[in-house]
Amino acid sequence: RPSFRERLSKARGTVSGYLGSILSRSAIDDETWDDLEEALIRADVGVGPATEVLDAVRARVKADGIESPEVLLEAVKDEVKARLHVDDRTLHSDEGETNVWLFVGVNGVGKTTTIGKLGKREAEVGRTVVMAAGDTFRAAAAEQLGTWAERCGATLVRGAEGADPSSIVFDGITKAASMGADLLLADTAGRLHNKTNLMDELRKVRRVAGKEPGHVTEVLLVIDATTGQNGLAQARVFTEAVEVTGVVLTKLDGSAKGGIVLAIQADLGIPVKLVGLGETADDLVAFDPDEFVDALFA
Ligand code: GDP
C-alpha cells in the first residue's frame, strides 16, 4: 500500500517546485518570501491563514536570527502545525447508548462512501452498526449504501422513494435502538427534489435524530478537498444550519489543494477528524496534522 506521503503526491506537487527553489538559494531573500507565499496560496491555504503563517515565520526569522532556507522551512512547518493543533479529534460515542453520527454536505462530496468506509471500520472493532439511507435525492445512494452495509454486516434502513429523510433517519434510530446497536450512521441529501430548503430539511433531520432514543454524538461535515476555497464557502452554509462537530476531508488523494485543511480549521473552527485518500475501505484515515504537514512540505 502506498504511504500517506505518496498518496498526497498531487498536493505535494503544488508546493514542491517552490520549496525546491527556496532550498536552492544559499540565503533568505525577497524571492524566498515570494516563493513561500505563492506555495501557500497555490496549496489553497487561503489568503488569511497564509498571511498569518508568513507573519509568524518572519517574526521568528528575525527573533532567532534564522539565515538558512532549511531552518526557515522547518519554521514554516512548525507554524502550520501549530495552527492545526486541536485537543481532540476523536469521534465521540457513549458506551451502552445508540449513538447517532450524522453526515452532511453537498452532493457528490463522498458522504455515502465515507459512511461505508467508517461502518466497516467500526464493525471490525466489534461494534454493531446500522446505516440509514437518508439521501433520498440520489436514487443510487441507498443501493450504494446497501452494498457497503452487506460487506460489513451492517443493517440498512431505507425508505420508500421520495420518503421524508428525517423519517428514514428516525426509523434507523428506532431500529438501531431495538437491536441494541452501538452506532447509527445517517446519510443525508446534498440536494433536494422539490423546493423545500435543504437547510430547513437538515435542521429537521438533526432535530429528529436527537429525539428519544437518539443520541447524536457527531455531526460530520464532508468536504471534497478538490473543490478548495469554493467547497469551503459551501461548507459554511451547513455549519450555519446545524452544529457540526467535525470535518471529513475527502479526495485528498486527488487534490492539489491540500492546504485547504488549514483554511477549514482557520475559517470554520472545526477540527478535521478524518481524511479520505481513495475509494476503498482502507482509504479513510484519522487526520494527523504532523504527518500531513511533513508530507506536504517534504
Ligand atoms: P455523496 O453524494 O456525498 O454521497 O458522494 P459519494 O459517496 O457517492 O461519492 C462520490 C464519488 O467520490 C464516488 O465516486 C466515490 O467513490 C468518490 N470518493 C469518495 N471519497 C473519495 C476519496 O477519498 N478519494 C477518491 N479518490 N474518491 C472518493
Side-chain angles (χ1 to χ4, degrees):
R1 247 159 60 84
S3 68
F4 185 71
R5 190 167 171 249
E6 283 163 338
R7 292 198 280 179
L8 274 190
S9 65
K10 275 232 173 110
R12 284 175 45 228
T14 313
V15 298
S16 65
Y18 298 102
L19 302 186
S21 92
I22 289 169
L23 290 172
S24 70
R25 291 194 288 276
S26 55
I28 299 167
D29 53 23
D30 287 347
E31 247 182 288
T32 305
W33 294 106
D34 289 347
D35 280 339
L36 206 47
E37 183 173 20
E38 195 66 23
L40 294 172
I41 298 294
R42 286 287 173 96
D44 234 349
V45 161
V47 177
T51 307
E52 258 187 48
V53 168
L54 286 172
D55 287 350
V57 175
R58 270 183 212 278
R60 269 175 75 167
V61 165
K62 211 168 159 192
D64 302 349
I66 296 172
E67 288 175 5
S68 120
E70 280 88 1
V71 180
L72 171 84
L73 283 185
E74 287 309 312
V76 172
K77 285 200 227 172
D78 279 355
E79 291 299 332
V80 174
K81 285 176 190 176
R83 278 163 184 76
L84 287 175
H85 177 82
V86 292
D87 289 330
D88 184 13
R89 276 180 214 278
T90 55
L91 295 170
H92 295 265
S93 56
D94 295 316
E95 199 78 35
E97 302 258 10
T98 297
N99 296 279
V100 180
W101 291 357
L102 215 55
F103 293 77
V104 302
V106 176
N107 210 35
V109 291
K111 289 182 297 298
T112 309
T113 309
T114 299
I115 291 174
K117 292 171 176 176
L118 205 52
K120 179 164 182 281
R121 199 170 92 178
E122 294 296 325
E124 275 167 3
V125 296
R127 307 182 91 186
T128 312
V129 177
V130 178
M131 298 175 179
D135 182 356
T136 50
F137 174 80
R138 246 177 2 104
E143 309 295 328
Q144 198 182 327
L145 205 56
T147 307
W148 282 103
E150 228 168 83
R151 256 187 244 160
C152 66
T155 301
L156 177 77
V157 173
R158 58 182 296 181
E161 222 187 295
D164 180 12
S166 55
S167 78
I168 297 171
V169 172
F170 189 72
D171 287 351
I173 294 168
T174 312
K175 177 77 183 168
S178 75
M179 291 167 60
D182 303 294
L183 266 184
L184 183 272
L185 305 179
D187 204 359
T188 63
R191 245 160 94 193
L192 296 175
H193 285 296
N194 51 35
K195 290 212 176 100
T196 320
N197 185 286
L198 177 62
M199 296 306 144
D200 284 344
E201 182 185 278
L202 273 184
R203 276 188 281 263
K204 186 173 170 196
V205 169
R206 172 64 187 83
R207 224 171 28 241
V208 167
K211 279 191 181 161
E212 286 288 322
H215 181 70
V216 181
T217 51
E218 290 290 345
V219 178
L220 297 166
L221 173 63
V222 184
I223 300 178
D224 175 344
T226 63
T227 59
Q229 298 288 326
N230 285 338
L232 189 58
Q234 289 177 321
R236 206 170 295 125
V237 180
F238 285 83
T239 64
E240 283 159 12
V242 286
E243 194 184 330
V244 173
T245 58
V247 167
V248 181
L249 189 64
T250 59
K251 311 187 197 182
L252 205 52
D253 53 311
S255 175
K257 299 169 177 172
I260 198 69
V261 176
L262 196 64
I264 288 169
Q265 278 197 202
D267 232 73
L268 304 179
I270 299 166
V272 175
K273 294 193 169 179
L274 300 165
V275 292
L277 295 168
E279 296 185 89
T280 72
D282 298 328
D283 295 328
L284 187 73
V285 302
F287 178 64
D288 176 342
D290 291 348
E291 184 188 37
F292 173 77
V293 173
D294 288 339
L296 194 64
F297 292 97

